[in-house]
Amino acid sequence: MQDNATEVTAAGIARMAGVGRAAVSNWRRRHADFPRPVGGTETSPSFALAEVESWLRAQGKLAEVPLRERVWQQLSGHPDGPVTALIHAGCVLLLIHDRPPVWLELSAGSDERLAEMLPGALREVFTPRFGPESATNTPQTVNTPGAAPASAADTPFAVNAGHSTPPPSPRPAVHPPTGPELLPSAPLLRGAAELAAELGARQTFEFLLGRHLDANPRQYTLTPADLAGLMADLAGPARTVLDPACGTGALLRAAATRPDQKLYAQDSAPELAALTTLRLALHTWSTVRGATGDTLRADAHPQLRADAVLCHPPFNERNWGHDELAYDPRWEYGFPARTESELAWVQHALARLKDGGAGVLLMPPAAASRRSGRRIRADLLRRGALRAVIALPVGAAPPYNIPLHLWVLRRPERAPAQPEVLLVDVGQFAGEGRGGPDWRAVREAVLDAWHAFGRPGRFTERPGLARALPVIELLDDDVDLAPARHLPPPTAADGAEQLTAVRELLGETLRLTADLTPPRADAAHPARWPLTTIGELARGGALMLRTGGNGGHARVPVLTDHDVLSGTDPSGTLPESDEEAVLTEPGDVVVPVLGGGSVARVIGTGTAGAALGRNLVLLRPDPAALDPWFLAGFLRGTANNRQASSYASTATRLDVRRLQLPRLPLDEQRRYGERFRTLDEFERALRHAGRLGEQVVRGMYDGLTDGTVAPD
């Protein structure tokens, strides 16, 4: 059933028809019968989805709106907003997941009957899944004097600074919507159910939530899946797990599931708390207790003693409750200063752990060294509550330009006789591009050090990587826990040997670069070839054109636009979803569409199989019609890129379909292709030599300044 009230933007129309937004603007100007705007603004109008779909089909520009796109447009154009629509859809998807026959019976009638009967059915699902307090249509308050939570990571950035009125008491994150609330959502709910029959209820919710997060990237701070998995592994298996700043639920989803598990979540943003609670319920059969409220001021779980606490708290908050919470019993290790909100979260986590329970928090690096927090850090060390500080590579999580830390906590059962703390620095595994760190290397290094630290016996130092330090050595005036300050550098012998090896490799690379230097360029008259475009070649079947995806399987390496520009290996990740990722094959040509650079990369056997990242276009030529090196070489022409680029916004965008190629026989293409291939090899050798040269220069500076290299 089509919803006549659903509106769609020009960008949505472009996605439906598989064209650019410029094409939609052209249709509006050229076709008098194009649907009139029904909402939005003059600069960003919206249109009735039903009218747009009808017009596109009448013009032969659309055979049928894909079901995924139809449901997404119903959700994004919902009269009460996409978040309300997503929560309503999540409630129904949970009903379909838990009790599919009930949904089939309810959906057989009219929309009015569906809206009237649905709240009662949802109550029957919510009670066993979320607790009896969630089964009321009116959110209930929970009186929790002297308790704890505030905002979350994976939360909207906006902070109500200066807020002096008491925050609302915590309440259940989800409750059954009323019939009048659900009635406008009826077409969406039927569409979501239809999509669930195709994809599954959990996958449908992940798709819709992923699209919503992707459409609003500046509103949310997300915890990357690889980091969430590492934090869950450090905490270990647990029956009860708490995330007091749950955001979109990445950390609780990463926790290893078990039959008797209970998950506790809280977030100050009501919409995120509701979405995460529904997401967790669809992800696992564990009991889920989600709550909305300011965690540090109004703890929804004050009596909880969890096996594990995982948390990505908000950083650098001044309005965390310093004045109201001066005598709170959670400040067992000292009252945090106004500028030390992160240490308030650390103590909240310890207060919610049972004796021996583990906590893992993502922390800004300043929390390890700010003087205002040194007394609390000292007490955490003395009593054995802080077990490890792990310095992550740059790019591990937002803010991506800062090397964040992980703090591993343990609720002390008794004071250790000779406490030690593990310091780890895996900054060396930072990726070269925006794709992020080498997570496999990070994971192996951190977990190997952590497990070795937990075994009886003396921990073996790993120079430059990991060290177990007696607490007494850290209890000075600063109590600086930054791992880089205390880790020994690699041994002098190893450093000299490594520097010699790099220097030899640099010499070999420079000799190869000299051999690959192109011969002298002979002058020739400008060629007058007949030209064609990539768009024409795609329509004629000479090549296939694909664009990078917004999601895919989490373990597939992703080729990012930065990888293509810098000539490095795939380094990125895509948000986990059930969308089919575009996988590269040998002979594909990949082109970045942002930045104004003239770059095209031919995929070799070493890169084949990687998923195509965002802002990339893949061209798969028919080998009987096009040589891939010929294709890539001519796409790199400066004049070619200029005529195919748009300069209307702050970022230059390349329209790949407008790029031009000369019409040449295949044998002639291969002649040009071979020359382009040798140029590419020369370019890669230059880049490699540059990186090796930087290593030699840095190693020489370090060796001369630390005395391991003689000046003569």
Side-chain angles (χ1 to χ4, degrees), residues 148-158 167-174 219-223 242-252 264-277 280 289-296 298-301 310-314 317 345 348:
S151 149
D154 302 14
T155 60
F157 287 132
S169 298
R171 59 184 185 274
V174 291
Q219 292 185 23
Y220 305 98
T221 303
L222 304 180
T223 307
L242 166 68
D243 184 348
C246 65
T248 58
L251 294 176
L252 290 175
Y264 294 85
Q266 183 166 349
D267 198 282
S268 63
E271 69 279 4
L272 277 176
L275 292 174
T276 292
T277 301
L280 293 172
R289 295 291 184 266
T292 296
D294 182 350
T295 299
L296 291 178
D299 186 4
H301 311 291
L310 302 172
C311 188
H312 176 175
E317 286 202 337
W345 285 97
H348 173 74

Side-chain angles (χ1 to χ4, degrees), residues 568-595:
T568 54
D569 291 334
S571 65
T573 57
L574 286 175
E576 185 177 359
S577 76
D578 293 297
E579 292 188 40
E580 195 66 31
V582 179
L583 302 183
T584 58
E585 296 179 2
D588 289 345
V589 177
V590 177
V591 183
V593 297
L594 291 180

